[in-house]
Amino acid sequence: MVKKYKKSILVAIRAWLCLILALLIIFGVSYYKMLPVIKRYAESVAETVMLNSANEAVISVLDNECVTYDEIAKLSRAEDGTVRSLEIDAYKINNLKSRISNEIAKIINDREEYKVSIPIGSFFNTPYTTGIGPQIPFKMQMTTTAFVDFTHEFRSAGINQVLHLIHIKIKIHGSFITAWYTGSIEVETTAIAAQTVIVGTTPDAFTNVIEEVDDNTAGLINDYGALAGE
């Protein structure tokens, strides 16, 4: 009886070990197939969260600060209206950079976790089932670091008119943790902080040079001033 009892215990232990091993193998295969899908969905959600947070932060800060072009840039003109210089307010720019960066971090960190929902059909790696079936929810946590910078650009807006744009360039580096996966992602976005059209003195006449392919006519013209009335 004792031997039979010990033998039955050993059989039961072996059966349980085989079952556990089988479950581990199934879990490993499932994890291997599910990981790329989880990664893709998690990165997509993280990218959307960071871009939306950046846009929300820019709108919030610019609205609260009532930012206008004249507060950021100062034009100096001569008595005849000619633009002499353009000065950027460094203190205002640095303050906005700090405010926007802090606001992005605040918006993202205010939520302790985010939700990643993946349709069960997306795990079967076939276009016929992708996006089909009940949603499997995963929780995701994020930490981010935002880098904010200001740049400006001049664009031609007509004869003796220049469009001056002041851009906010934002780069966000984020790390996220979700079920069975830890990753990182970096996004960049640009917003316009302010813009204006700078108008100078309109010339009495001008020359328009049209080049053909492989033509360098404009490069050979050193002085094409024209006299009004001629």
Side-chain angles (χ1 to χ4, degrees):
M1 291 293 293
V2 175
K3 290 183 178 179
K4 289 183 178 180
Y5 179 72
K6 289 183 177 179
K7 187 176 181 180
S8 62
I9 291 177
L10 290 175
V11 172
I13 292 174
R14 289 174 182 173
W16 276 107
L17 289 175
C18 291
L19 178 61
I20 292 172
L21 181 61
L23 290 175
L24 288 175
I25 293 174
I26 293 172
F27 175 80
V29 173
S30 300
Y31 170 75
Y32 179 77
K33 291 184 176 181
M34 293 172 66
L35 184 59
V37 180
I38 295 174
K39 177 183 177 182
R40 185 170 67 251
Y41 273 78
E43 288 179 347
S44 177
V45 171
E47 181 179 5
T48 301
V49 168
M50 290 190 289
L51 290 175
N52 289 343
S53 299
N55 293 332
E56 184 179 341
V58 169
I59 293 173
S60 176
V61 172
L62 295 183
D63 185 56
N64 291 336
E65 294 286 326
C66 299
V67 175
T68 62
Y69 178 86
D70 292 335
E71 292 181 345
I72 300 176
K74 304 292 183 182
L75 287 173
S76 175
R77 293 180 180 271
E79 293 183 358
D80 61 355
T82 304
V83 177
R84 285 181 173 178
S85 64
L86 174 63
E87 181 181 355
I88 302 296
D89 190 333
Y91 174 80
K92 185 71 174 180
I93 291 295
N94 289 330
N95 181 57
L96 289 173
K97 288 168 62 175
S98 177
R99 291 286 303 276
I100 293 172
S101 179
N102 292 336
E103 186 66 18
I104 292 173
K106 179 179 179 298
I107 292 172
I108 294 177
N109 294 334
D110 276 350
R111 292 183 60 179
E112 295 182 357
E113 60 185 26
Y114 294 86
K115 184 178 180 181
V116 181
S117 297
I118 306 177
I120 193 170
S122 299
F123 291 111
F124 293 104
N125 196 27
T126 168
Y128 301 106
T129 60
T130 299
I132 298 176
Q135 302 277 336
I136 301 178
F138 296 91
K139 294 180 180 179
M140 183 177 71
Q141 294 180 324
M142 290 182 57
T143 58
T144 59
T145 303
F147 303 93
V148 181
D149 197 11
F150 278 71
T151 61
H152 64 101
E153 174 189 6
F154 293 97
R155 295 180 186 173
S156 175
I159 300 174
N160 220 31
Q161 295 183 7
V162 175
L163 176 63
H164 184 210
L165 300 104
I166 300 176
H167 298 286
I168 306 173
K169 290 194 173 183
I170 303 173
K171 180 185 293 185
I172 308 176
H173 179 80
S175 299
F176 58 89
I177 301 174
T178 187
W180 312 329
Y181 181 72
T182 300
S184 61
I185 187 171
E186 187 174 276
V187 299
E188 296 184 22
T189 186
T190 303
I192 297 177
Q195 64 179 20
T196 192
V197 175
I198 302 173
V199 181
T201 304
T202 304
D204 296 327
F206 66 94
T207 301
N208 183 27
V209 179
I210 301 175
E211 294 181 338
E212 300 291 339
V213 179
D214 298 327
D215 187 7
N216 192 31
T217 304
L220 300 175
I221 298 176
N222 296 317
D223 183 8
Y224 51 86
L227 297 177
E230 292 188 0

